[in-house]
Amino acid sequence: MPISLSGDYTNPGNIDNAFSSTGGSATGDWFIHDQTMTIHAIRQNIYNTTTSATGSPPVVLNNRLKISVFAQVSREVEYDATFGGSLRYNHELYRSDTDGTDLGFGAEISTSAHGYIRRLVRKDARTGAILDDLTSTTGTLLTTFYMDEGLGEYDGNSSVTENEIVFAAANRVNSIFPNFKVSLISA
């Protein structure tokens, strides 16, 4: 059963928030930004293998939440196209537990709606050159990091929330792939 997340996130870096105010249909060159993200969290135990003995399990030294993030961004210009005005659609996420119990053991946080921006391109008034950042126009990123570390075996009390995981993952992706817009996420 998907569990809706709540919260808004603020991008600490550059925010592309220049939208045209076109309310009706317009023909021109349109900037299009599309993004998705999937987060997989799984609890890992770190064992002390030096004190293990045959017939008894190794001692758990500590545990941590391993976060793997898969993100995609596409940025392009649709030349001489007609659309019904600017559009911003927030990137929405939902959570499904991987073990049916709690976030501390693991969860999948997936995109339920792409983050999407469509607006007329920004152009230099003198030269007509496109001012929008189209570097790394399309890309895919897979990154892994750890959080919620604790001593010993996991006791069922996670100190992180879904929103903290989403915030950490989105900012991690943004630091590696600046065109990913944290400000577009509405979890």
Side-chain angles (χ1 to χ4, degrees), residues 147-171:
M147 61 189 307
D148 195 31
E149 296 189 33
L151 294 174
E153 198 164 339
Y154 180 62
D155 63 5
N157 293 311
S158 179
S159 65
V160 296
T161 65
E162 298 96 340
N163 287 345
E164 289 171 316
I165 291 172
V166 170
F167 184 74
N171 280 299

Side-chain angles (χ1 to χ4, degrees), residues 71-169:
Q72 292 183 300
V73 173
S74 172
R75 298 183 112 190
E76 63 182 330
V77 172
E78 290 277 339
Y79 295 96
D80 198 30
T82 302
F83 288 107
S86 296
L87 176 66
R88 177 188 172 110
Y89 194 81
N90 284 344
H91 184 168
E92 295 179 13
L93 301 163
Y94 70 94
R95 182 188 101 200
S96 58
D97 293 334
T98 57
D99 67 358
T101 54
D102 92 36
L103 173 69
F105 288 106
E108 185 87 15
I109 301 173
S110 303
T111 295
S112 60
H114 287 226
Y116 186 83
I117 297 170
R118 179 186 71 216
R119 61 167 168 72
L120 290 168
V121 296
R122 292 179 292 162
K123 292 186 177 183
D124 183 288
R126 289 181 299 116
T127 66
I130 293 175
L131 300 174
D132 292 306
D133 178 16
L134 296 173
T135 58
S136 303
T137 54
T138 301
T140 300
L141 172 70
L142 178 60
T143 185
T144 300
F145 63 98
Y146 301 93
M147 61 189 307
D148 195 31
E149 296 189 33
L151 294 174
E153 198 164 339
Y154 180 62
D155 63 5
N157 293 311
S158 179
S159 65
V160 296
T161 65
E162 298 96 340
N163 287 345
E164 289 171 316
I165 291 172
V166 170
F167 184 74

